[in-house]
Amino acid sequence: MHSFLALIFCALLAFAGAQPSPVVPKGFVTQRNGEFRLNGKPFNFVGANSYWVPLLTKKEDVHATFREMQGAGIKVLRTWGFNAINGSELALARETDLTYYQVWNSTEWVINDGPQGLQRLDYVIKTAGLYGIKVILAFTNNWVGYGGSELYVNWIAGAGSTHDVFFSDPRIIASYQRYVTVIVNRYKNSPNIFAWELMNEARCLGDLPAGPNCVAGTNLLSHWYKQQSDYVRSLDSYHMITTGGEGHFYWPDKNVGFWHNGVFISDYNFNGQAGEDFDADLQLENIDFGTYHIYPQYWYTLLDTPSSTNFTIKDWGLSWIQDHADSAKKANKPVILEEFGVSGLQNKTEIYPEWVGLALKTRHAGIMPWQFGMTGLKEDNRVFKYADYIIDGASPNDGFAIYKNQTAVWNIFA
Ligand SMILES: *[C@@H]1O[C@H](CO)[C@@H](O)[C@H](O)[C@H]1NC(C)=O
Ligand SMILES: *[C@@H]1O[C@H](CO)[C@@H](O)[C@H](O)[C@H]1NC(C)=O
Ligand SMILES: *[C@@H]1O[C@H](CO)[C@@H](O)[C@H](O)[C@H]1NC(C)=O
Ligand SMILES: *[C@@H]1O[C@H](CO)[C@@H](O)[C@H](O)[C@H]1NC(C)=O
Ligand SMILES: *[C@@H]1O[C@H](CO)[C@@H](O)[C@H](O)[C@H]1NC(C)=O
């Protein structure tokens, strides 16, 4: 090669190497300099959390749900990319037409890619695109709901194991990655995927307790996030990847806590005890954006009495929002307020506008209340699992659902 041309060629290569992200296929969302981009333009969104969409059995209900979301201006749906059952639940699952993707009968689960399995998820992801909606898909759950990490722990590590072995046992990691491979390979060419999410609300403890390998300072979750995000990136060069975490900080020097009946209680949201280190996790190369959740009424039950302190759930949420915005700014990555909820309609109408207002002011790229509620479903009385059901055509309500008829709350987001 002519040396001058070679020089230009090398310069071009060096330039290409310095680009933060490869040229992505059309319709894929990327992140750069703290914001999302779609087809060359900034992309910000109000989103919906609705884990139950893939549990719907009627295609017309899937369409009606996306149509309602579209009408409310929603651009991103976050839902579960997992639904796992024990073999002992199989007969009932078939009888009740429960959606399930994984069946555990031994240390090796079996995939269900049939019409009652992944074909339902296929339909949801395909239909989302028809309504201009993209999907955040979580690979597993920290909690037992719909068959999360606890099934891996129970079946592979065995009875008596602690929850945190999910993040360290190489057999469990291999099994999780086998599932991740199935899901990622199935949808990796789809522009309807917004991002992959490693786990819903990863913590040292789950419904099982935490063990000594996952306490403040061990960084077990950070290592796991790095290993899994690198793994997903090796399968899929283009889609964004995020943690799905609640956004706990590890600020050992700040000694954040509160007084309760004269006793100082160190706060697990800031002391690393929960397992995450939001600042460090967001710096990981293949974590594209930050996620966090807000449920002060449930995280501070000790404080939920009028007399105890100067603490209010509204103010606590505001400072949590500011903390995550500051951290995201340092990392130069987008952050989304991925889940939040308070009980009671009046609490919602009073508190959500203030939280949303600050999130907008601090340049959050996405806001996703927990959870989007749908009415008028054709399938009108149906128990999914646990205490979850469609009743009179309304999607499940855990006290946080927002239906269209609740106009004061609905309009905050629509
Ligand atoms: C599933 O099986 C595991 C292992 O036997 C057991 O620990 C767990 O309780 C079962 N879960 C359900 C929901 O049946
Ligand atoms: C799992 O076990 C159940 C009975 O517990 C059985 O009916 C089913 O066929 C088994 N499924 C697989 C995939 O092995
Ligand atoms: C509440 O009071 C404590 C100590 O009395 C103080 O450190 C803290 O900053 C106060 N919080 C708010 C939100 O005012
Ligand atoms: C509203 O929030 C307050 C403070 O957490 C709580 O005591 C109250 O029960 C909530 N109202 C409803 C209806 O849930
Ligand atoms: C709105 O719809 C939900 C779900 O059907 C229902 O539970 C609730 O009572 C309705 N609220 C109003 C104000 O009509």
Side-chain angles (χ1 to χ4, degrees):
M1 197 187 294
H2 190 281
S3 63
F4 178 65
L5 282 182
L7 199 69
I8 292 181
F9 186 62
C10 288
L12 280 174
L13 270 186
F15 182 67
Q19 290 301 295
S21 58
V23 177
V24 294
K26 196 168 173 308
F28 281 47
V29 180
T30 57
Q31 57 86 14
R32 204 178 68 200
N33 288 334
E35 55 177 25
F36 293 127
R37 302 188 71 83
L38 173 61
N39 299 329
K41 294 198 196 97
F43 180 80
N44 299 298
F45 64 87
V46 169
N49 277 290
S50 290
Y51 66 87
W52 44 266
V53 181
L55 300 173
L56 297 171
T57 58
K58 288 191 188 309
K59 291 183 171 174
E60 59 191 303
D61 282 343
V62 174
H63 278 271
T65 299
F66 280 120
R67 199 177 304 120
E68 181 121 314
M69 287 178 183
Q70 184 187 43
I74 285 164
K75 293 192 230 161
V76 175
L77 162 69
R78 174 169 177 258
T79 197
W80 298 162
F82 56 86
N83 269 305
I85 60 171
N86 279 337
S88 56
E89 299 172 287
L90 194 56
L92 186 65
R94 286 193 177 136
E95 210 174 284
T96 59
D97 209 2
L98 178 73
T99 302
Y100 65 95
Y101 311 144
Q102 276 170 299
V103 184
W104 287 90
N105 266 356
S106 68
T107 57
E108 293 288 338
W109 48 264
V110 175
I111 200 79
N112 172 18
D113 57 6
Q116 205 182 319
L118 285 174
Q119 289 177 26
R120 290 210 176 132
L121 189 58
D122 295 348
Y123 195 76
V124 166
I125 289 169
K126 187 177 100 185
T127 309
L130 301 178
Y131 294 87
I133 291 171
K134 295 186 186 292
V135 182
I136 297 178
L137 214 49
F139 297 130
T140 191
N141 201 348
N142 191 69
W143 315 106
V144 288
Y146 296 97
S149 49
E150 249 45 317
L151 286 185
Y152 290 85
V153 172
N154 279 326
W155 282 101
I156 297 173
S161 304
T162 53
H163 174 75
D164 57 292
V165 302
F166 180 80
F167 306 107
S168 59
D169 186 319
R171 298 165 302 174
I172 293 179
I173 289 171
S175 184
Y176 164 87
Q177 290 186 344
R178 185 162 73 89
Y179 185 67
V180 167
T181 307
V182 169
I183 298 296
V184 172
N185 283 343
R186 205 169 174 94
Y187 305 117
K188 72 177 176 187
N189 296 320
S190 173
N192 299 351
I193 297 292
F194 180 85
W196 305 117
E197 192 161 288
L198 301 176
M199 187 171 199
N200 174 52
E201 300 190 335
R203 279 201 199 186
C204 287
L205 57 73
D207 291 280
L208 294 169
N213 296 327
C214 198
V215 293
T218 53
N219 280 328
L220 185 62
L221 278 188
S222 296
H223 288 135
W224 186 82
Y225 281 151
K226 172 165 173 33
Q227 187 183 20
Q228 306 328 317
S229 57
D230 290 351
Y231 181 71
V232 175
R233 181 57 74 230
S234 76
L235 300 173
D236 179 346
S237 313
Y238 300 121
H239 284 110
M240 295 188 295
I241 303 165
T242 190
T243 61
E246 291 162 289
H248 310 283
F249 291 106
Y250 179 43
W251 291 349
D253 300 339
K254 293 202 179 162
N255 200 22
V256 179
F258 51 86
W259 292 91
H260 176 69
N261 291 338
V263 179
F264 184 76
I265 300 177
S266 176
D267 188 339
Y268 70 89
N269 278 312
F270 298 93
N271 69 12
Q273 184 197 334
E276 288 196 288
D277 178 344
F278 185 83
D279 301 314
D281 300 341
L282 192 52
Q283 301 280 354
L284 293 172
E285 185 185 354
N286 287 317
I287 295 297
D288 287 292
F289 61 94
T291 70
Y292 68 99
H293 301 174
I294 316 185
Y295 295 101
Q297 284 166 317
Y298 301 87
W299 292 346
Y300 295 93
T301 47
L302 277 181
L303 283 172
D304 208 8
T305 53
S307 59
S308 54
T309 60
N310 56 2
F311 176 103
T312 70
I313 54 182
K314 186 181 79 190
D315 289 344
W316 190 89
L318 289 173
S319 83
W320 188 242
I321 290 165
Q322 187 66 55
D323 290 339
H324 288 87
D326 293 346
S327 180
K329 200 169 172 196
K330 274 193 208 111
N332 200 25
K333 287 184 183 174
V335 64
I336 66 172
L337 172 41
E338 192 189 56
E339 278 191 28
F340 57 98
V342 296
S343 67
L345 269 182
Q346 200 186 332
N347 285 332
K348 288 180 175 70
T349 47
E350 279 173 17
I351 293 170
Y352 291 172
E354 301 235 13
W355 286 358
V356 168
L358 182 61
L360 292 176
K361 207 174 123 203
T362 54
R363 302 181 59 91
H364 279 54
I367 291 168
M368 313 189 79
W370 182 276
Q371 60 167 315
F372 179 90
M374 178 69 185
T375 50
L377 293 167
K378 288 284 178 290
E379 182 160 34
D380 67 4
N381 285 300
R382 168 181 162 76
V383 177
F384 291 130
K385 217 181 166 181
Y386 316 105
D388 272 1
Y389 46 80
I390 296 180
I391 186 158
D392 297 332
S395 63
N397 191 355
D398 52 6
F400 300 120
I402 304 168
Y403 302 101
K404 198 174 181 178
N405 62 1
Q406 295 160 343
T407 44
V409 187
W410 182 270
N411 289 340
I412 297 167
F413 305 104

